Amino acid sequence: MAAVRLSNPDLWHPYLGGEKPMDLAYFTAVALSETFPPGNPWFAGGFINYYYFGFVPAAALLRLTGLPPEVAYNLALPAWYALSASALYAVALALLPPVRRRAAWALLAPVVILLAGNLKQAQVLASRLAQLGSGEPAPGGLNYIAGVLMGLVKFLFGRTLDLSPADLYFRASRAISHAPGEPAPITEFPFFSFLYGDLHAHLLTLPLGILAIGLVVSRLREPLASWRGVLQFGLISLAIGSAWTGNTWELPALAAVLAAGLWCFDQRPLRLVRAAVSAATTLLAAWLAYLPYHRFRHSGYGAVEFWTGSRTPLLDYLIVYGLPLLPVAASVWLLRHRRTTVWADPGARIAAVLALTGFGLTLLVELVVLRGDIGRSNTVFKFGYQAWVLLGLAAAPAVVWIAGALSGSLRRWTLGAGVALLSLGLLYPITATPQRARDRFAPTAPRSWDGLAFTRHATWHVQDRLVPLAGDRALIDWLRHNVPGNPVIAEWNTFPVLYSWGNRIANYTAFPAIVGWDWHLRQQMPGPASERVHKRIAAVQEIYNSPDPGRAAELLRRYEARYIVVGALERALAAPEGLNKFTSGEGRYWDRVFYQAGDAIYRVRPGE
C-alpha cells in the first residue's frame, strides 16, 4: 500500500479526485486544534460538526512526528491499511478451529476483505472482451461467451480494450443498477478506499471497528469473571465508542454483533433479557466514555424511512457481495444435513453471528434508507461496507469447514472453484492499481510522499480560465512559517463549482476560511444553520469583486478575517476592478505582508 500511495500521492484532482481537500482540512484542523471539538477550517468561528474521532489517532501521529500534513496524510493510508490487516488476521485466527496450517488459513480474511475487490471488474472486462470479439455493442447469450473467448485471443495478440480510467478503477464503486433519475448506490470496498485515497471516516474507523469485533469475539470465546469481566466489557465499550464517534454508521452493526453474540452464548434462563441488558449497558458505557463528543455533535440525519425506489437485481447483488458471501453460503449448504461437530466450536458460532449480521445488512438496505440521503447512495455504501467486512471474516472459517467436510475430487473441484472466485476478485487490484497510478492531474509531477508537490507542475482549467497552481505552495509555506495562532483568512470560494481547488489555503494550513465547499458544509450543518453557508459565500465573493475597499473591509471585520489571499485563483476568477482595490486600500484597510510573482497576502488592519 505504501507503493500504491507513492505511485499517485497527489491530494487533489479536478475530475476524479474525490474529497481529499475536505479530508486534509479536517485532518490538519484536528491535529493543530488545542480544544475539542476542533475548529472548523471551512467555517470560521464554528466547530467541526462531523464524526471526526477517526482523525484523532492519525492526527496524534502527525503531532508526534512533526511532519507536514500533506506528507502525514499519505503515510496514514498505508499505516491504516497495515493496522486493518493485522486486526483482521488476529480476529480470523480466533475464529478458526485448530486445524493444520491454521495461521495460513487466517490470511484469507485480510486477502478477501482488504486486497480483493467485488466482481464488477470481472464483469466490465468480460463485457469489453465480448465487444472486441464479436464486434457488437452488447452481445448476449452464446454470442457473449464466444465474444469473450475471441476477444481474449485478440487481446493477447495485441488488440486493445475500449476502457477508460473510470472503467478500470471507479466503476466497481458504482456496481448496482438503478432507475433513471436515481443516484447510483455506492458500492465501495476497502481496497477501493485505500487506492482512491480519500481519508474518510469509514476508512479511518476500519481498524477501530475490527478491534471492537475482536474484543467481542474474545469475550464470547473466553468470558472472564469478577473484575476481569468488568474490564473486558470496559474495553469493548471503549472500542465501540471510538468506532461510534469515528463513523456513526458503525454502531448498528457492532450493536447487533454484540447483542446476538451474547444471546447465542448464554445458555442460562432469560438469556434474551440478559443479552439485551448486557448489550445496552455496554453501549451506554460506550456513549458515556465519549460524552463530550456527543454533547457537541448535532446530526440532522437520524431518522430512517422505507425505501420505495428500485431494488438491487440479483446479479448485481452477487457481483457486489458474492466474493465473501458465496463461501459462507456454500458452507451452510454442505453442512446442513451432516452430522458435524462444527457448531461445538465457539469460533463457528461467532462466525455465524458475523455472517448473519452482514447478510442482514445487505437486506436492510433494500427496505429502509436514511432520511435525507442522496437516493440511497450512502445507506448502501456504509452498511454494505460493514457487510463486506463481516462476511469476509466469516468466509475464512467457512472455507476451512468446506475443506474439512469434503474429500477426494469433490474437495479439489470445490476448492478450485473458490480459487477461481478469489481470482476474479483479485482482478480489481491487478488492473485498477496501474490505471490509478497513471491518472494524475500533473503526469510530470514527481512521485514522493509530498501530496502538494504536484502543484509545481499543474494548471487548472476552470470557467474558461487557466489557473497555474505553482504559486500557491509559496503562499501556504509563508503562512505556515510566519503567522502564529489560528487567524481567519479570506480566499476565493469557487461556488457553484465543487470538488475544486478553492479553500486550498485552509486545507493545508488549517487556518479557518470564512466559508468552504457549499454542499459539504450544508450536509454537516443541518436546518437553518445551513443558510449561513450561502450568506458567507456571497460575502466572500463580494469581498473580492466589490471595487469599494471600505465595503470589503467591513465584511472582513464582520467575519474577523485577519489575512487576505490574492493568488492565481483569485486573479483568474475575481473581477479585475475588485482586485485593484487591494492595492488602493493598502495602508488604510490592510497591509501587504507577502508578494511573489503577482501573488500577495494582506494583513487586515484592526477596525476603528
Side-chain angles (χ1 to χ4, degrees):
M1 187 50 62
V4 170
R5 282 313 302 161
L6 277 173
S7 70
N8 188 345
D10 308 342
L11 295 185
W12 185 64
H13 189 293
Y15 310 114
L16 288 173
E19 295 171 328
K20 294 174 189 62
M22 182 188 75
D23 297 329
L24 179 68
Y26 287 5
F27 175 51
T28 308
V30 170
L32 300 182
S33 181
E34 297 182 359
T35 60
F36 279 80
N40 194 331
W42 279 8
F43 199 83
F47 59 85
I48 296 177
N49 188 42
Y50 185 66
Y51 26 77
Y52 61 80
F53 186 81
F55 288 106
V56 173
L61 293 177
L62 187 155
R63 295 199 68 156
L64 285 171
T65 59
L67 291 169
E70 61 271 18
V71 174
Y73 182 110
N74 279 325
L75 289 171
L77 286 161
W80 257 240
Y81 190 82
L83 287 171
S84 301
S86 58
L88 286 169
Y89 181 78
V91 176
L93 203 60
L95 294 175
L96 290 176
V99 295
R100 288 184 59 201
R101 301 188 179 91
R102 181 165 170 258
W105 284 115
L107 288 171
L108 276 173
V111 169
V112 168
I113 295 169
L114 283 182
L115 183 58
N118 63 33
L119 305 181
K120 184 65 176 180
Q121 199 80 338
Q123 185 191 43
V124 168
L125 292 172
S127 297
R128 294 297 187 271
L129 286 171
Q131 291 172 13
L132 177 63
S134 67
E136 300 177 25
L142 293 177
N143 287 341
Y144 182 86
I145 298 173
V148 170
L149 296 176
M150 183 59 67
L152 182 60
V153 172
K154 291 181 178 180
F155 176 74
L156 294 175
F157 278 90
R159 296 285 297 275
T160 59
L161 297 178
D162 181 20
L163 289 164
S164 68
D167 287 329
L168 281 171
Y169 73 82
F170 199 79
R171 282 277 300 279
S173 70
R174 304 294 188 275
I176 294 177
S177 306
H178 53 91
E182 274 185 13
I186 299 172
T187 55
E188 271 195 39
F189 44 88
F191 191 85
F192 174 89
S193 302
F194 284 97
L195 178 66
Y196 201 54
D198 282 0
L199 206 60
H200 274 356
H202 63 275
L203 183 152
L204 288 167
T205 54
L206 182 60
L208 297 175
I210 299 166
L211 170 64
I213 293 170
L215 289 171
V216 171
V217 170
S218 174
R219 168 68 190 180
L220 297 178
R221 286 190 68 97
E222 298 181 21
L224 301 177
S226 66
W227 65 269
R228 291 184 178 86
V230 175
L231 178 60
Q232 200 171 38
F233 269 115
L235 290 174
I236 293 172
S237 297
L238 283 174
I240 291 177
S242 66
W244 183 351
T245 53
N247 180 19
T248 308
W249 294 87
E250 296 269 354
L251 182 62
L254 293 177
V257 168
L258 175 64
L262 290 171
W263 173 81
C264 183
F265 277 76
D266 192 342
Q267 302 301 320
R268 294 170 292 178
L270 299 175
R271 63 173 181 167
L272 180 60
V273 175
R274 298 173 69 91
V277 170
S278 296
T281 303
T282 304
L283 295 176
L284 177 61
W287 183 78
L288 290 172
Y290 296 86
L291 182 58
Y293 168 90
H294 294 292
R295 286 181 59 201
F296 283 95
R297 173 92 166 94
H298 302 288
S299 175
Y301 303 92
V304 297
E305 57 191 12
F306 287 109
W307 172 246
T308 58
S310 61
R311 300 295 194 272
T312 304
L314 178 59
L315 178 60
D316 289 353
Y317 180 88
L318 293 175
I319 284 171
V320 174
Y321 303 112
L323 177 59
L325 179 60
L326 289 176
V328 175
S331 68
V332 172
W333 186 82
L334 283 171
L335 299 175
R336 73 192 192 288
H337 295 310
R338 293 171 180 256
R339 292 182 177 274
T340 177
T341 59
V342 164
W343 301 113
D345 179 16
R349 284 176 282 158
I350 299 169
V353 168
L354 299 179
L356 286 172
T357 305
F359 180 63
L361 289 174
T362 69
L363 300 182
L364 182 66
V365 300
E366 303 300 320
L367 302 174
V368 299
V369 65
L370 183 73
R371 184 177 298 164
D373 195 357
I374 308 167
R376 59 170 181 156
S377 296
N378 285 296
T379 305
V380 172
F381 169 24
K382 298 300 177 73
F383 284 146
Y385 204 84
Q386 294 165 61
W388 179 273
V389 174
L390 294 170
L391 290 170
L393 281 170
V399 171
V400 173
W401 303 333
I402 292 170
L406 301 177
S407 60
S409 60
L410 181 59
R411 182 177 187 271
R412 289 192 294 272
W413 279 103
T414 304
L415 292 180
V419 171
L421 179 66
L422 180 59
S423 300
L424 293 178
L426 292 174
L427 280 175
Y428 183 81
I430 292 170
T431 58
T433 303
Q435 183 58 48
R436 178 62 177 161
R438 288 191 291 268
D439 190 28
R440 304 185 68 187
F441 183 27
T444 59
R447 288 180 165 87
S448 71
W449 293 112
D450 184 356
L452 190 54
F454 76 96
T455 57
R456 298 190 179 96
H457 306 263
T459 299
W460 182 33
H461 186 207
V462 58
Q463 297 179 14
D464 297 322
R465 310 286 177 84
L466 293 178
V467 182
L469 309 187
D472 288 334
R473 183 65 181 257
L475 295 170
I476 292 165
D477 287 342
W478 187 90
L479 286 166
R480 281 177 174 175
H481 297 133
N482 294 278
V483 177
N486 198 37
V488 178
I489 58 167
E491 58 178 323
W492 181 256
N493 188 284
T494 59
F495 177 84
V497 179
L498 288 175
Y499 300 93
S500 73
W501 187 237
N503 298 104
R504 77 282 193 202
I505 306 298
N507 296 342
Y508 286 93
T509 64
F511 293 166
I514 294 173
V515 67
W517 289 1
D518 162 62
W519 169 242
H520 296 74
L521 278 175
R522 288 192 292 112
Q523 278 187 307
Q524 297 164 26
M525 299 175 63
S530 67
E531 294 305 314
R532 293 185 292 164
V533 175
H534 282 157
K535 291 180 180 179
R536 289 196 178 202
I537 290 172
V540 167
Q541 294 187 347
E542 186 176 359
I543 286 169
Y544 282 96
N545 287 331
S546 172
D548 182 359
R551 175 57 178 165
E554 176 189 344
L555 291 171
L556 289 164
R557 290 165 187 155
R558 177 185 301 175
Y559 295 107
E560 300 182 350
R562 292 290 311 281
Y563 290 88
I564 310 163
V565 173
V566 180
L569 181 66
E570 287 76 18
R571 294 198 308 275
L573 300 182
E577 60 272 19
L579 295 177
N580 291 337
K581 70 173 175 294
F582 292 117
T583 302
S584 63
E586 191 176 346
R588 181 179 179 185
Y589 298 105
W590 40 71
D591 299 298
R592 192 171 69 184
V593 292
F594 172 84
Y595 184 83
Q596 180 177 298
D599 297 333
I601 298 173
Y602 298 88
R603 183 170 53 230
V604 180
R605 290 191 166 195
E608 297 177 1

